[in-house]
């Protein structure tokens, strides 16, 4: 199922894969197994990254999330799809609980909270968003950094060359 989801990358549960109907009761059962696989791999990645990057916990946790999303791309797409589009109330409840547990995992491992509360949800969501940007290859610029627009060169080419040589 994991290999099929990685190939398809459509965000849909691979209910048509041979053996799924005998191994899982329904979509929620399969989704639960894939979510458990995601969380287990994410926890392992976080442990690995914290041993390599113990000084910047937020960065280590974001990289761990990004690495896990790379390894389990199809599974992450499925989790995202069914979190946004649950098929029933039971799935909506289960996915909301899983999302909260993931946010708590991220926030606690980043050293930003120690309890499951709204702070954990907010901080975990921020780390996840940062990790998603990292995963997409979008550079992360700290909020407190301001960049000035480069100035257009002034003067003629000869005048600029003379200034460089004189410096």
């Amino acid at each position: 199922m994991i290999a099929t989801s990685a190939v398809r990358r459509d965000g849909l549960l691979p209910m048509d894969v041979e053996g799924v109907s005998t191994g899982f009761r329904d979509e929620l059962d399969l989704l639960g197994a894939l979510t458990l696989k995601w969380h287990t791999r994410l926890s392992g990645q976080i442990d690995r990254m914290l041993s390599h990057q113990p000084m910047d916990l937020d960065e280590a946790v974001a990289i761990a999330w990004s690495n896990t999303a790379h390894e389990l791309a199809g599974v992450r797409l499925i989790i995202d799809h069914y979190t946004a589009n649950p098929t029933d109330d039971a799935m909506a409840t289960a996915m909301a609980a899983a999302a909260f547990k993931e946010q708590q995992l991220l926030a606690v491992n980043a050293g930003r909270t120690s309890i499951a509360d709204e702070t954990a949800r907010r901080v975990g969501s921020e780390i996840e968003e940062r990790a998603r940007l990292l995963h997409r290859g979008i550079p992360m610029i700290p909020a407190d950094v301001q960049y000035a627009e480069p100035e257009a060169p002034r003067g003629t080419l000869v005048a600029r060359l003379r200034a460089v040589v004189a410096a």
Side-chain angles (χ1 to χ4, degrees), residues 20-21 38-39 61 72-73 90 103 110 119 121 126 128 130 132 135 146 151 156:
V20 168
S21 61
W38 166 264
H39 286 277
V61 172
L72 296 175
Q103 291 158 349
T119 300
R121 181 182 304 281
E126 291 169 5
E128 181 182 343
R130 186 172 180 209
R132 286 178 185 273
H135 182 65
Q146 295 180 0
E151 292 184 20
T156 65

Side-chain angles (χ1 to χ4, degrees), residues 41-64:
R41 183 73 57 91
L42 177 59
S43 293
Q45 278 287 348
I46 289 172
D47 287 345
R48 194 169 12 265
M49 286 308 302
L50 290 176
S51 70
H52 294 301
Q53 172 71 289
M55 300 307 287
D56 188 347
L57 301 179
D58 276 13
E59 182 75 6
V61 172
I63 290 170

